[in-house]
Amino acid sequence: MKHKDSIHAISTQLTKLGRNPDMQHGFVNTPIYRGSTVVFNTVDDLENSRAKYIYGTLGTPTIESLETAWSEISGAAGTVLSPSGLGALALALLTTLKSGDHLLMTDSAYRPTRTFCSTLLEKFGVEVSYYDPLIAEKIVDLIRPNTSTILLESPGSQSFEIQDVPAITKIARAHNIKTIIDNTWATPLFFRAHDHGCDLSVEAGTKYLGGHSDLLMGLVTANAETWPALRQTYDSMSMLPGAEDCFLALRGMRTMHLRIKEAERRGLEIAQWLLEQPEVKQVLHPAIPSCPGHDIWKRDFKGSTGLFSFILHPEFEKPALEAMLDNMSLFSMGYSWGGFESLIIPFDCSEYRTVTTWAPGGLALRIQIGLEDMDELKIDLRLGLDRLNRWAHS
């Protein structure tokens, strides 16, 4: 049954879901329930688990509030939590794979996911092969008799290709193959993965759900068909975040829609500005028409966020890039994103791509647009590009 709040717009839902003041003496938010042991009044209650909560790893009011809210937002049958985004991906993969299975993974996947597959999964007898993220329905040619899972990530990590998710999930379902998507960039606010046929959807709540760079969190949602297997995997591992992190995630959820819409506005403004800078060869932002898969993004997504990449012209080499980045004033260098601060890092996908060639024709940078003054962010970038020029032409 749908929650009564699902009739409301998403911004309203985010203020209502995952809390019940009537159960909390009128206080607005679910408090932090920090605990392991749950006590029972009788032997009969103990032996028959007659209690809403049985043990701390199986749920508390704080954990349940986040799980139920995220399930409603995602259009999912259920949600489980993890201490990190990578942990959530591991939970999803372990739900659908067993020894002897074959996994098809997009070549644009988050690099730590690849490492998990090439170490732990292959160690336990899972075959892993990679596919071009833009392959769409031609993925059918890569399916083997033992293919049990296809992993998608749209847009691709760092390179931002948009996959044709409905085309791939349709083929997967016809072959009884489970699909998992890393949906961290868009979140369920801009892309409801289950509505597009995905069995499992993974988000790193570390990013836009937390929103303040002080939280590690992973979430996995499942459709009705896959939910029992996901919950069983989760219960077998008891790999869950702490109560304080769940509380922070719930608090972040209340303002998530406002923040993500502002991230979209700011990201697009800086992306358009970078297109006009003479040092920039290309901008990889799904809402920019020149980005691979833009038409699919326009068809399937409700918006974009504040993370994207851009490519410099080939005349600039690493020493010039170091002169640019080492002296930025507002942009910091760091691997996460989705917080309040602006970040920028260099990257090179050619180090790990295996079935596609990463050859953008220049040095690549990934950029996260935070909440600083926009004019000052442009000045910081412009001064950095000036340093790049001076070093390159000195």
Side-chain angles (χ1 to χ4, degrees):
M1 180 180 293
K2 282 289 185 182
H3 192 284
K4 65 180 181 180
D5 287 325
S6 63
I7 63 173
H8 295 298
I10 188 64
S11 56
T12 303
Q13 290 184 55
L14 291 174
T15 70
K16 294 287 188 180
L17 294 169
R19 64 185 188 88
N20 187 347
D22 291 341
M23 298 291 290
Q24 311 300 338
H25 308 286
F27 286 99
V28 170
N29 292 312
T30 305
I32 296 173
Y33 283 80
R34 188 188 291 110
S36 55
T37 302
V38 176
V39 296
F40 299 82
N41 291 324
T42 69
V43 172
D44 184 61
D45 287 343
L46 176 70
E47 292 180 344
N48 292 283
S49 299
R50 289 196 177 94
K52 183 173 182 179
Y53 304 103
I54 308 302
Y55 189 70
T57 58
L58 300 178
T60 69
T62 312
I63 291 169
E64 185 186 17
S65 293
L66 180 56
E67 289 174 341
T68 56
W70 200 255
S71 294
E72 189 70 31
I73 294 163
S74 303
T79 299
V80 298
L81 309 177
S82 170
S84 70
L86 181 58
L89 281 159
L91 272 172
L93 288 163
L94 292 172
T95 296
T96 63
L97 291 163
K98 65 183 184 302
S99 181
D101 281 356
H102 171 236
L103 165 67
L104 274 170
M105 174 178 285
T106 176
D107 207 26
S108 59
Y110 178 52
R111 192 173 185 179
T113 310
R114 300 175 73 108
T115 302
F116 175 78
C117 292
S118 64
T119 53
L120 283 178
L121 285 186
E122 291 187 357
K123 176 182 176 181
F124 289 105
V126 174
E127 296 180 70
V128 182
S129 59
Y130 294 86
Y131 66 89
D132 184 337
L134 301 178
I135 199 171
E137 65 276 357
K138 292 181 181 179
I139 199 168
V140 70
D141 298 330
L142 304 179
I143 292 174
R144 304 175 187 174
N146 62 333
T147 303
S148 69
T149 305
I150 298 173
L151 189 141
L152 307 91
E153 182 170 344
S154 188
S157 182
Q158 298 182 328
S159 48
F160 288 90
E161 302 96 335
I162 293 290
Q163 294 191 251
D164 193 336
V165 175
I168 293 173
T169 58
K170 181 179 180 181
I171 288 169
R173 193 158 295 278
H175 289 78
N176 198 30
I177 294 169
K178 294 295 185 183
T179 50
I180 302 169
I181 188 168
D182 185 334
N183 192 40
T184 300
W185 181 83
T187 81
L189 275 63
F190 286 161
F191 185 80
R192 298 231 309 181
H194 300 299
D195 292 351
H196 294 277
C198 295
D199 296 297
L200 295 169
S201 181
V202 178
E203 278 92 11
T206 307
K207 311 307 198 263
Y208 284 116
L209 177 58
H212 294 80
S213 303
D214 55 6
L215 168 68
L216 288 168
M217 171 75 65
L219 309 98
V220 191
T221 59
N223 59 16
E225 180 184 333
T226 316
W227 168 239
L230 174 62
R231 184 70 207 198
Q232 183 182 53
T233 303
Y234 171 83
D235 288 341
S236 299
M237 300 178 70
S238 294
M239 185 175 66
L240 71 161
E244 289 84 356
D245 287 342
C246 294
F247 178 85
L248 287 173
L250 280 164
R251 187 170 69 173
M253 190 182 72
R254 308 304 174 198
T255 61
M256 187 177 173
H257 188 252
L258 288 172
R259 290 185 286 102
I260 206 169
K261 289 295 290 182
E262 182 66 4
E264 176 182 40
R265 184 188 70 81
R266 288 166 163 264
L268 278 169
E269 184 175 332
I270 294 294
Q272 295 285 358
W273 180 86
L274 282 167
L275 280 172
E276 299 169 359
Q277 307 311 303
E279 298 83 3
V280 175
K281 178 177 182 286
Q282 185 181 10
V283 173
L284 299 175
H285 186 303
I288 299 294
S290 59
C291 188
H294 165 76
D295 290 340
I296 297 172
W297 170 84
K298 193 173 180 180
R299 182 193 71 191
D300 294 343
F301 286 69
K302 296 179 181 178
S304 60
T305 54
L307 185 80
F308 61 96
S309 296
F310 64 97
I311 313 299
L312 299 171
H313 282 294
E315 65 191 89
F316 302 110
E317 298 180 349
K318 188 176 179 181
L321 182 65
E322 291 175 350
M324 172 185 172
L325 296 181
D326 290 352
N327 297 282
M328 301 297 286
S329 174
L330 297 181
F331 283 89
S332 300
M333 286 184 281
Y335 285 110
S336 194
W337 46 273
F340 58 85
E341 77 286 13
S342 291
L343 299 170
I344 189 168
I345 58 167
F347 70 91
D348 184 359
C349 296
S350 65
E351 297 175 1
Y352 57 88
R353 290 289 181 97
T354 54
V355 298
T356 56
T357 301
W358 173 252
L363 296 172
L365 299 112
R366 191 186 72 182
I367 188 168
Q368 129 91 7
I369 307 304
L371 299 178
E372 301 89 347
D373 180 83
M374 290 292 284
D375 289 337
E376 292 181 355
L377 288 177
K378 291 173 185 176
I379 290 170
D380 197 31
L381 285 169
R382 186 58 258 168
L383 291 174
L385 293 169
D386 289 344
R387 290 192 300 274
L388 183 85
N389 265 311
R390 284 198 300 272
W391 184 276
H393 299 114
S394 61

